[in-house]
Amino acid sequence: MPRIVPPDDRPPEFPPEFVWGVSTAAYQIEGAATSDGRGPSIWDTFSHTPGRVANGDTGDVACDHYHRWVDDLDLIQALGVGAYRFSVSWSRWLPDGRGRVNRAGASFYDRLVDGLLERGVEPWLCLYHWDLPQALQDEGGWAERDVVDWFGDYAASVMGALGDRVAHVAMLNEPNVVGLMGHLLGIHAPGQTDLAAYAAATHHLNLATGSALSRLRSERSDWRLGTILNLQPVVAEGDGEDDAAASDLLDAAWNGNHLEPLVAGRYPAVMEALIGTAVRDGDMERIRQPLDWFGLNLYSQLRVAADPASLIGLRLVDPPDEAETTAMGWEVAPEALSRQLIDAKARLGDVPIVVTENGAAYRDRPGPDLEVDDLRRTRYLERHVREVEAARAAGVDVRGYFVWSLLDNFEWHEGYAKRFGLVFVDYATQRRVPKRSYRWYQRLVRDGVVPSSADVA
Ligand code: IFM
């Protein structure tokens, strides 16, 4: 696909109503894993299993946000963003996954929401960011069809309590990662490597999304309901027919398995035989629901080649030597963002799109006072925001952009070594120190014009 260039060389500009935000997730920042009646989640179990997470790291303490949320909200306010996307920990809300609400846990989110509103920051609430209650995993988790109702009841409970102050709600964050990494590759919780579990979980994640969307919509018409997918363009290395087939398969597994059911009420053709085993009459209609907004998370692109020796006939290809990569090994490919936005518009039609995550991990080297001159992250963000501008200029209705992440945090199976924050966290003392990228973003949000990363110290 050709590179998209803005129509002229004027500085990119964003209108005042454009939503600037930062994103986090409960298990990655809250800590307080056993405080105030929180029940265990699959990530507690997984991270406490030796060998699962780098360095033996767990989310037990993380950024201790559960106790330091006031300071963290002050950092958000000083950043100047209009919105903060956070997730609710299902097992903090419902320790057993269903039934009894944990009042102390629920009141944490109550105070958080009030604290945001007092600071003029709009809460964007994500109902599920990967931390399924362990009690529900013990009954089959996402591979068990009952999870659709468990999730719907939990969603209704959270929104029943917070929905008088929270309008923007996302159902799930990145169900493709939950399915692929959690149930097929086993590198995320619950650590399964089971094709049947993957197929069932994939379908139940979609069904839970659609069912909760329609349930919440029937309860209140002024909630702005959406969901969040991680989509990445797939690039075939090689031009053989088998490379094209490999690319189609990866595109279906990574992107299509969740986007196509949502917008078109069907699975990608190459996936139908596998996932169809979990589908019952009427399911696809339940999944295909109108959205008030669609959340796109994008970090990079995927390169793939045919590989007859692999079980599934493909292998991921490393970026070329000359390509710039982040500490995750992900290729820096800003143009993937405008391409993906344009592609998403083609599939979603008029649904407004919000970039709900974009950011980069680097090996930040703090100075003597822990200050971090993260020019590479700042440059990464600058280049990606320019692609958002390019996509808008090309007619895509992008309404907002959220940086991942406010704080350095627990990066799942990579532990704490991978830092994505605009704010450096010294885990020994829990001291927070804004990085150069924080100041750069502060200026962008203030002016609505993309500053050059070189101009912000
Ligand atoms: O940290 C994660 C986040 O939880 C989901 N999206 C990708 C981020 C970086 O890996």
Side-chain angles (χ1 to χ4, degrees):
M1 196 182 290
R3 171 100 173 68
I4 301 131
V5 281
D8 56 43
D9 59 3
R10 79 198 141 77
E13 288 191 22
F14 290 86
E17 65 275 14
F18 190 82
V19 180
W20 298 106
V22 278
S23 292
T24 63
Y27 190 72
Q28 293 181 273
I29 64 166
E30 284 180 3
T34 54
S35 303
D36 293 342
R38 177 183 178 276
S41 80
I42 55 174
W43 269 96
D44 295 284
T45 309
F46 191 77
S47 65
H48 279 269
T49 306
R52 291 302 207 175
V53 175
N55 195 39
D57 290 342
T58 73
D60 288 3
V61 178
C63 306
D64 197 26
H65 171 74
Y66 187 76
H67 297 113
R68 294 166 195 268
W69 62 274
V70 172
D71 292 346
D72 292 340
L73 296 201
D74 287 346
L75 280 167
I76 296 171
Q77 184 180 32
L79 185 57
V81 291
Y84 173 54
R85 179 191 144 215
F86 63 97
S87 75
V88 172
S89 155
W90 187 340
S91 64
R92 200 183 286 292
W93 197 275
L94 299 169
D96 305 317
R98 54 194 162 133
R100 178 183 58 90
V101 174
N102 172 28
R103 292 288 155 214
S107 83
F108 168 70
Y109 296 106
D110 205 59
R111 283 177 275 132
L112 188 75
V113 165
D114 285 345
L116 286 164
L117 294 173
E118 279 158 19
R119 288 168 179 77
V121 178
E122 197 196 343
W124 284 51
L125 186 155
C126 179
L127 287 162
Y128 184 73
H129 199 124
W130 305 358
D131 44 359
L132 189 77
Q134 182 60 46
L136 300 184
Q137 185 61 42
D138 295 343
E139 295 186 51
W142 285 108
E144 161 61 50
R145 193 175 167 98
D146 287 347
V147 74
V148 173
D149 293 333
W150 300 333
F151 179 70
D153 292 345
Y154 155 68
S157 170
V158 171
M159 288 310 289
L162 302 179
D164 55 337
R165 287 153 290 155
V166 175
H168 282 90
V169 194
M171 304 304 109
L172 308 185
N173 182 71
E174 300 183 357
N176 60 342
V177 175
V178 177
L180 284 164
M181 301 208 184
H183 296 80
L184 191 60
L185 302 176
I187 57 174
H188 277 195
Q192 295 180 348
T193 49
D194 177 337
L195 194 59
Y198 164 68
T202 297
H203 183 59
H204 298 149
L205 286 156
N206 290 329
L207 197 54
T209 302
S211 305
L213 280 168
S214 78
R215 178 161 171 183
L216 293 181
R217 187 159 320 279
S218 72
E219 292 194 7
R220 243 175 106 150
S221 59
D222 56 347
W223 286 336
R224 308 266 52 93
L225 307 178
T227 200
I228 299 171
L229 302 186
N230 178 318
L231 304 177
Q232 300 197 53
V234 175
V235 180
E237 298 278 312
D239 44 21
E241 266 177 37
D242 49 352
D243 296 309
S247 157
D248 284 351
L249 182 59
L250 183 63
D251 184 47
W254 190 270
N255 301 311
N257 261 349
H258 299 280
L259 187 57
E260 279 196 41
L262 192 63
V263 302
R266 58 163 187 261
Y267 282 101
V270 287
M271 287 292 170
E272 261 168 10
L274 176 66
I275 301 186
T277 52
V279 178
R280 295 197 191 156
D281 280 353
D283 282 1
M284 301 317 289
E285 292 73 34
R286 282 174 72 191
I287 294 173
R288 187 182 182 189
Q289 293 294 326
L291 293 170
D292 296 316
W293 57 276
F294 172 79
L296 167 67
N297 293 356
L298 184 136
Y299 291 85
S300 185
Q301 62 187 8
L302 298 172
R303 293 176 182 267
V304 65
D307 182 358
S310 127
L311 264 185
I312 48 170
L314 63 81
R315 73 188 154 82
L316 290 176
V317 177
D318 286 339
D321 288 345
E322 65 280 11
E324 192 186 333
T325 54
T326 68
M328 300 293 282
W330 298 345
E331 182 175 356
V332 177
E335 62 284 359
L337 180 52
S338 49
R339 276 175 59 192
Q340 193 62 65
L341 284 165
I342 288 179
D343 181 73
K345 178 190 163 68
R347 291 166 193 254
L348 288 155
D350 291 336
V351 180
I353 302 176
V354 176
V355 177
T356 33
E357 282 183 27
N358 176 240
Y362 286 104
R363 282 181 198 88
D364 294 327
R365 299 199 197 293
D369 207 21
L370 296 184
E371 76 281 4
V372 173
D373 185 5
D374 59 338
L375 181 58
R376 282 186 302 173
R377 178 178 295 102
T378 310
R379 179 93 187 107
Y380 175 102
L381 296 173
E382 178 191 346
R383 292 168 72 191
H384 283 79
V385 172
R386 288 191 193 282
E387 295 295 329
V388 173
E389 168 65 10
R392 282 169 53 84
V396 185
D397 185 9
V398 190
R399 300 271 179 97
Y401 173 90
F402 288 60
V403 173
W404 183 269
S405 182
L406 171 67
L407 304 169
D408 293 337
N409 59 50
F410 177 79
E411 177 53 24
W412 307 112
H413 68 297
E414 304 272 8
Y416 292 101
K418 303 287 191 278
R419 294 177 177 271
F420 275 89
L422 296 175
V423 175
F424 181 83
V425 176
D426 176 16
Y427 294 111
T429 62
Q430 291 294 348
R431 189 168 152 215
R432 275 81 160 132
V433 184
K435 305 176 190 175
R436 177 204 280 241
S437 55
Y438 176 98
R439 292 183 284 280
W440 174 86
Y441 196 43
Q442 201 171 35
R443 221 162 99 183
L444 165 61
V445 171
R446 187 194 67 192
D447 298 344
V449 173
V450 185
S452 159
S453 36
D455 290 348
V456 181

